[in-house]
Short mmCIF file of all heavy atoms in Angstrom, two decimals:
data_model
loop_
_atom_site.label_atom_id
_atom_site.label_comp_id
_atom_site.label_asym_id
_atom_site.label_seq_id
_atom_site.Cartn_x
_atom_site.Cartn_y
_atom_site.Cartn_z
N ARG B 9 64.89 36.36 1.94
CA ARG B 9 64.07 35.34 1.36
C ARG B 9 64.63 33.87 1.74
O ARG B 9 65.43 33.70 2.41
CB ARG B 9 64.10 35.35 -0.14
CG ARG B 9 65.25 36.32 -0.63
CD ARG B 9 65.30 36.35 -2.16
NE ARG B 9 66.39 35.28 -2.62
CZ ARG B 9 67.72 35.45 -2.55
NH1 ARG B 9 68.17 36.51 -2.15
NH2 ARG B 9 68.46 34.37 -3.04
N ARG B 10 63.83 33.00 1.32
CA ARG B 10 64.14 31.60 1.32
C ARG B 10 65.44 31.41 0.67
O ARG B 10 65.68 31.77 -0.51
CB ARG B 10 63.01 30.74 0.75
CG ARG B 10 62.64 29.64 1.42
CD ARG B 10 61.24 29.22 0.97
NE ARG B 10 60.88 27.81 0.94
CZ ARG B 10 61.46 26.98 0.16
NH1 ARG B 10 62.23 27.34 -0.83
NH2 ARG B 10 61.06 25.55 0.13
N ALA B 11 66.43 30.59 1.17
CA ALA B 11 67.62 30.33 0.57
C ALA B 11 67.46 29.51 -0.69
O ALA B 11 66.75 28.62 -0.55
CB ALA B 11 68.65 29.65 1.52
N THR B 12 68.15 29.88 -1.70
CA THR B 12 68.03 29.21 -3.08
C THR B 12 69.41 28.49 -3.18
O THR B 12 70.33 28.73 -2.57
CB THR B 12 67.72 30.19 -4.12
OG1 THR B 12 68.16 29.47 -5.34
CG2 THR B 12 68.53 31.48 -3.92
N LEU B 13 69.46 27.57 -4.21
CA LEU B 13 70.53 26.86 -4.57
C LEU B 13 71.67 27.76 -4.94
O LEU B 13 72.95 27.56 -4.48
CB LEU B 13 70.26 25.76 -5.61
CG LEU B 13 71.22 24.80 -5.74
CD1 LEU B 13 71.49 23.92 -4.62
CD2 LEU B 13 71.03 23.83 -7.02
N ARG B 14 71.49 28.80 -5.45
CA ARG B 14 72.36 29.63 -5.94
C ARG B 14 73.03 30.33 -4.59
O ARG B 14 74.39 30.58 -4.58
CB ARG B 14 71.76 30.87 -6.65
CG ARG B 14 71.19 30.56 -8.05
CD ARG B 14 70.82 31.74 -8.82
NE ARG B 14 71.77 31.98 -9.72
CZ ARG B 14 71.60 31.38 -11.04
NH1 ARG B 14 70.69 30.56 -11.27
NH2 ARG B 14 72.53 31.80 -11.95
N ASP B 15 72.19 30.61 -3.74
CA ASP B 15 72.75 31.22 -2.42
C ASP B 15 73.75 30.30 -1.78
O ASP B 15 74.81 30.55 -1.38
CB ASP B 15 71.69 31.52 -1.46
CG ASP B 15 70.68 32.54 -2.08
OD1 ASP B 15 70.97 33.38 -2.63
OD2 ASP B 15 69.38 32.41 -1.74
N VAL B 16 73.32 29.02 -1.65
CA VAL B 16 74.17 27.90 -1.08
C VAL B 16 75.46 27.93 -1.97
O VAL B 16 76.67 27.97 -1.38
CB VAL B 16 73.52 26.56 -1.13
CG1 VAL B 16 74.50 25.47 -0.67
CG2 VAL B 16 72.22 26.67 -0.25
N ALA B 17 75.33 27.91 -3.30
CA ALA B 17 76.51 27.81 -4.15
C ALA B 17 77.43 28.89 -3.84
O ALA B 17 78.68 28.78 -3.72
CB ALA B 17 76.10 27.62 -5.54
N ALA B 18 76.86 30.16 -3.76
CA ALA B 18 77.69 31.25 -3.54
C ALA B 18 78.33 31.30 -2.26
O ALA B 18 79.63 31.52 -2.15
CB ALA B 18 76.87 32.58 -3.61
N ALA B 19 77.59 31.01 -1.25
CA ALA B 19 78.24 30.82 0.17
C ALA B 19 79.28 29.81 0.19
O ALA B 19 80.18 30.01 1.03
CB ALA B 19 77.05 30.58 1.14
N ALA B 20 79.24 28.77 -0.64
CA ALA B 20 80.21 27.68 -0.51
C ALA B 20 81.28 28.05 -1.52
O ALA B 20 82.27 27.34 -1.53
CB ALA B 20 79.62 26.40 -0.88
N GLY B 21 81.13 29.12 -2.32
CA GLY B 21 82.12 29.40 -3.37
C GLY B 21 82.26 28.24 -4.47
O GLY B 21 83.32 27.99 -4.89
N VAL B 22 81.05 27.79 -4.85
CA VAL B 22 81.06 26.88 -5.98
C VAL B 22 79.99 27.24 -6.85
O VAL B 22 79.23 28.14 -6.65
CB VAL B 22 80.86 25.45 -5.41
CG1 VAL B 22 81.88 24.97 -4.46
CG2 VAL B 22 79.47 25.26 -4.86
N SER B 23 79.93 26.48 -8.08
CA SER B 23 78.81 26.81 -9.03
C SER B 23 77.51 26.14 -8.50
O SER B 23 77.52 25.11 -7.87
CB SER B 23 79.19 26.20 -10.35
OG SER B 23 78.93 24.87 -10.46
N PRO B 24 76.38 26.65 -9.00
CA PRO B 24 75.09 26.01 -8.67
C PRO B 24 75.12 24.58 -9.07
O PRO B 24 74.61 23.66 -8.34
CB PRO B 24 74.13 26.75 -9.36
CG PRO B 24 74.74 28.11 -9.80
CD PRO B 24 76.29 27.92 -9.80
N ALA B 25 75.71 24.24 -10.08
CA ALA B 25 75.77 22.85 -10.57
C ALA B 25 76.42 21.96 -9.56
O ALA B 25 75.77 20.94 -9.10
CB ALA B 25 76.45 22.74 -11.94
N THR B 26 77.60 22.35 -9.10
CA THR B 26 78.17 21.48 -8.05
C THR B 26 77.33 21.36 -6.79
O THR B 26 77.31 20.43 -6.26
CB THR B 26 79.61 22.27 -7.65
OG1 THR B 26 80.34 22.37 -8.82
CG2 THR B 26 80.39 21.32 -6.74
N ALA B 27 76.73 22.47 -6.41
CA ALA B 27 75.91 22.42 -5.29
C ALA B 27 74.77 21.34 -5.43
O ALA B 27 74.52 20.53 -4.56
CB ALA B 27 75.29 23.94 -5.02
N SER B 28 74.19 21.43 -6.73
CA SER B 28 73.11 20.52 -6.88
C SER B 28 73.73 19.12 -7.03
O SER B 28 73.07 18.21 -6.28
CB SER B 28 72.69 20.74 -8.34
OG SER B 28 71.67 19.74 -8.71
N TYR B 29 74.78 18.75 -7.58
CA TYR B 29 75.47 17.42 -7.60
C TYR B 29 75.60 16.95 -6.08
O TYR B 29 75.33 15.90 -5.76
CB TYR B 29 76.80 17.51 -8.24
CG TYR B 29 76.80 17.87 -9.85
CD1 TYR B 29 77.75 18.59 -10.30
CD2 TYR B 29 75.67 17.59 -10.42
CE1 TYR B 29 77.86 18.91 -11.59
CE2 TYR B 29 75.67 17.91 -11.79
CZ TYR B 29 76.64 18.64 -12.34
OH TYR B 29 76.63 19.10 -13.72
N THR B 30 76.18 17.82 -5.27
CA THR B 30 76.45 17.47 -3.82
C THR B 30 75.30 17.15 -3.18
O THR B 30 75.11 16.11 -2.61
CB THR B 30 77.15 18.70 -3.18
OG1 THR B 30 78.20 19.08 -3.91
CG2 THR B 30 77.45 18.35 -1.78
N LEU B 31 74.28 18.07 -3.22
CA LEU B 31 73.10 17.84 -2.38
C LEU B 31 72.27 16.59 -2.88
O LEU B 31 71.50 15.94 -2.06
CB LEU B 31 72.29 19.13 -2.41
CG LEU B 31 72.52 20.15 -1.26
CD1 LEU B 31 73.71 19.93 -0.48
CD2 LEU B 31 72.33 21.48 -1.68
N ASN B 32 72.41 16.33 -4.17
CA ASN B 32 71.55 15.15 -4.59
C ASN B 32 72.37 13.90 -4.84
O ASN B 32 71.96 12.87 -5.15
CB ASN B 32 70.95 15.58 -6.14
CG ASN B 32 70.02 16.63 -5.93
OD1 ASN B 32 69.24 16.80 -5.03
ND2 ASN B 32 70.13 17.51 -7.04
N GLY B 33 73.65 14.03 -4.57
CA GLY B 33 74.54 12.83 -4.82
C GLY B 33 74.46 12.37 -6.18
O GLY B 33 74.66 11.28 -6.51
N THR B 34 74.24 13.28 -7.11
CA THR B 34 73.99 12.98 -8.51
C THR B 34 75.26 12.65 -9.29
O THR B 34 75.35 11.88 -10.13
CB THR B 34 73.32 14.12 -9.30
OG1 THR B 34 72.10 14.37 -8.53
CG2 THR B 34 73.15 13.95 -10.70
N LYS B 35 76.39 13.36 -8.77
CA LYS B 35 77.71 13.12 -9.42
C LYS B 35 78.77 13.17 -8.33
O LYS B 35 78.58 13.85 -7.35
CB LYS B 35 78.01 14.22 -10.44
CG LYS B 35 77.35 14.04 -11.86
CD LYS B 35 78.01 14.92 -12.78
CE LYS B 35 77.46 14.77 -14.17
NZ LYS B 35 78.12 15.71 -15.24
N PRO B 36 79.85 12.49 -8.60
CA PRO B 36 80.85 12.54 -7.63
C PRO B 36 81.44 13.97 -7.42
O PRO B 36 81.66 14.63 -8.31
CB PRO B 36 82.01 11.61 -8.26
CG PRO B 36 81.60 11.51 -9.71
CD PRO B 36 80.18 11.75 -9.84
N VAL B 37 81.72 14.27 -6.22
CA VAL B 37 82.25 15.62 -5.88
C VAL B 37 83.31 15.43 -4.88
O VAL B 37 83.39 14.58 -3.96
CB VAL B 37 81.20 16.48 -5.24
CG1 VAL B 37 81.68 17.69 -4.64
CG2 VAL B 37 80.03 16.87 -6.30
N SER B 38 84.37 16.15 -4.98
CA SER B 38 85.44 16.05 -4.09
C SER B 38 85.14 16.36 -2.66
O SER B 38 84.18 17.11 -2.34
CB SER B 38 86.65 17.11 -4.45
OG SER B 38 86.24 18.42 -4.03
N ASP B 39 85.77 15.64 -1.56
CA ASP B 39 85.34 15.80 -0.29
C ASP B 39 85.24 17.22 0.16
O ASP B 39 84.45 17.67 0.81
CB ASP B 39 86.30 14.92 0.68
CG ASP B 39 86.12 13.51 0.31
OD1 ASP B 39 85.27 13.06 -0.59
OD2 ASP B 39 86.81 12.61 0.99
N GLU B 40 86.40 17.99 -0.23
CA GLU B 40 86.57 19.35 0.15
C GLU B 40 85.36 20.08 -0.23
O GLU B 40 84.63 20.62 0.68
CB GLU B 40 87.72 19.82 -0.57
CG GLU B 40 87.83 21.40 -0.55
CD GLU B 40 88.00 21.99 0.76
OE1 GLU B 40 88.03 21.27 1.72
OE2 GLU B 40 87.99 23.34 0.74
N LEU B 41 85.00 20.09 -1.39
CA LEU B 41 83.76 20.93 -1.83
C LEU B 41 82.53 20.50 -1.17
O LEU B 41 81.56 21.23 -0.86
CB LEU B 41 83.73 20.89 -3.32
CG LEU B 41 84.76 21.59 -4.12
CD1 LEU B 41 84.32 21.92 -5.53
CD2 LEU B 41 85.09 22.87 -3.31
N ARG B 42 82.41 19.06 -1.16
CA ARG B 42 81.26 18.52 -0.62
C ARG B 42 80.92 19.14 0.78
O ARG B 42 79.84 19.51 1.13
CB ARG B 42 81.32 17.05 -0.44
CG ARG B 42 80.03 16.43 0.36
CD ARG B 42 79.76 14.88 0.27
NE ARG B 42 81.06 14.15 0.09
CZ ARG B 42 81.42 13.59 -1.01
NH1 ARG B 42 80.73 13.78 -2.07
NH2 ARG B 42 82.49 12.87 -1.11
N ARG B 43 82.02 19.10 1.67
CA ARG B 43 81.76 19.68 2.92
C ARG B 43 81.48 21.14 2.95
O ARG B 43 80.47 21.51 3.68
CB ARG B 43 83.06 19.44 3.77
CG ARG B 43 83.23 18.10 4.42
CD ARG B 43 84.24 18.11 5.51
NE ARG B 43 84.76 19.43 6.05
CZ ARG B 43 84.03 20.26 6.95
NH1 ARG B 43 82.98 19.74 7.42
NH2 ARG B 43 84.66 21.35 7.23
N ARG B 44 82.06 21.86 2.04
CA ARG B 44 81.72 23.28 1.94
C ARG B 44 80.25 23.61 1.69
O ARG B 44 79.58 24.33 2.28
CB ARG B 44 82.75 23.98 0.89
CG ARG B 44 84.17 24.06 1.32
CD ARG B 44 84.75 25.48 1.10
NE ARG B 44 84.48 25.96 -0.31
CZ ARG B 44 85.45 25.77 -1.25
NH1 ARG B 44 86.67 25.24 -1.03
NH2 ARG B 44 85.20 26.24 -2.42
N VAL B 45 79.89 22.75 0.71
CA VAL B 45 78.42 22.83 0.22
C VAL B 45 77.59 22.43 1.41
O VAL B 45 76.54 23.19 1.73
CB VAL B 45 78.23 22.03 -0.99
CG1 VAL B 45 76.60 21.93 -1.24
CG2 VAL B 45 78.91 22.62 -2.14
N GLN B 46 77.81 21.48 2.09
CA GLN B 46 76.98 20.93 3.08
C GLN B 46 76.79 22.02 4.15
O GLN B 46 75.83 22.21 4.72
CB GLN B 46 77.35 19.56 3.67
CG GLN B 46 77.02 18.52 2.63
CD GLN B 46 77.67 17.09 2.97
OE1 GLN B 46 78.77 17.13 3.73
NE2 GLN B 46 77.24 16.12 2.42
N VAL B 47 78.04 22.48 4.67
CA VAL B 47 78.06 23.46 5.67
C VAL B 47 77.12 24.69 5.22
O VAL B 47 76.28 25.12 6.07
CB VAL B 47 79.51 23.95 5.96
CG1 VAL B 47 79.50 25.14 6.83
CG2 VAL B 47 80.20 22.83 6.68
N ALA B 48 77.40 25.20 3.97
CA ALA B 48 76.53 26.39 3.55
C ALA B 48 75.12 26.08 3.62
O ALA B 48 74.42 26.92 4.07
CB ALA B 48 77.14 26.75 2.09
N ALA B 49 74.77 24.92 3.13
CA ALA B 49 73.45 24.57 3.01
C ALA B 49 72.73 24.59 4.32
O ALA B 49 71.69 25.10 4.63
CB ALA B 49 73.21 23.23 2.32
N GLU B 50 73.47 23.92 5.32
CA GLU B 50 72.98 23.91 6.65
C GLU B 50 72.88 25.37 7.25
O GLU B 50 71.76 25.61 7.89
CB GLU B 50 74.13 23.05 7.47
CG GLU B 50 73.82 23.01 8.90
CD GLU B 50 72.64 22.16 9.22
OE1 GLU B 50 72.38 21.19 8.42
OE2 GLU B 50 72.00 22.21 10.22
N ARG B 51 73.91 26.08 7.07
CA ARG B 51 73.88 27.32 7.78
C ARG B 51 72.75 28.24 7.13
O ARG B 51 72.16 29.03 7.81
CB ARG B 51 75.24 28.03 7.43
CG ARG B 51 75.79 28.69 8.89
CD ARG B 51 76.88 29.61 8.62
NE ARG B 51 76.90 30.29 7.24
CZ ARG B 51 77.98 30.43 6.44
NH1 ARG B 51 79.11 30.11 7.09
NH2 ARG B 51 77.82 30.85 5.31
N LEU B 52 72.47 28.09 5.90
CA LEU B 52 71.51 28.94 5.22
C LEU B 52 70.07 28.32 5.45
O LEU B 52 69.02 28.88 5.06
CB LEU B 52 71.67 29.13 3.84
CG LEU B 52 73.03 29.88 3.49
CD1 LEU B 52 73.18 30.04 2.00
CD2 LEU B 52 72.95 31.28 4.11
#
Side-chain angles (χ1 to χ4, degrees):
Chain B
R9 19 175 263 281
R10 221 154 151 292
T12 161
L13 191 62
R14 302 186 100 86
D15 299 329
V16 174
V22 301
S23 78
T26 304
S28 177
Y29 298 148
T30 304
L31 266 15
N32 297 321
T34 298
K35 278 199 180 181
V37 169
S38 73
D39 291 2
E40 159 66 3
L41 290 196
R42 169 164 37 254
R43 272 200 13 87
R44 292 225 307 262
V45 169
Q46 281 165 346
V47 167
E50 177 68 29
R51 226 195 23 219
L52 297 181

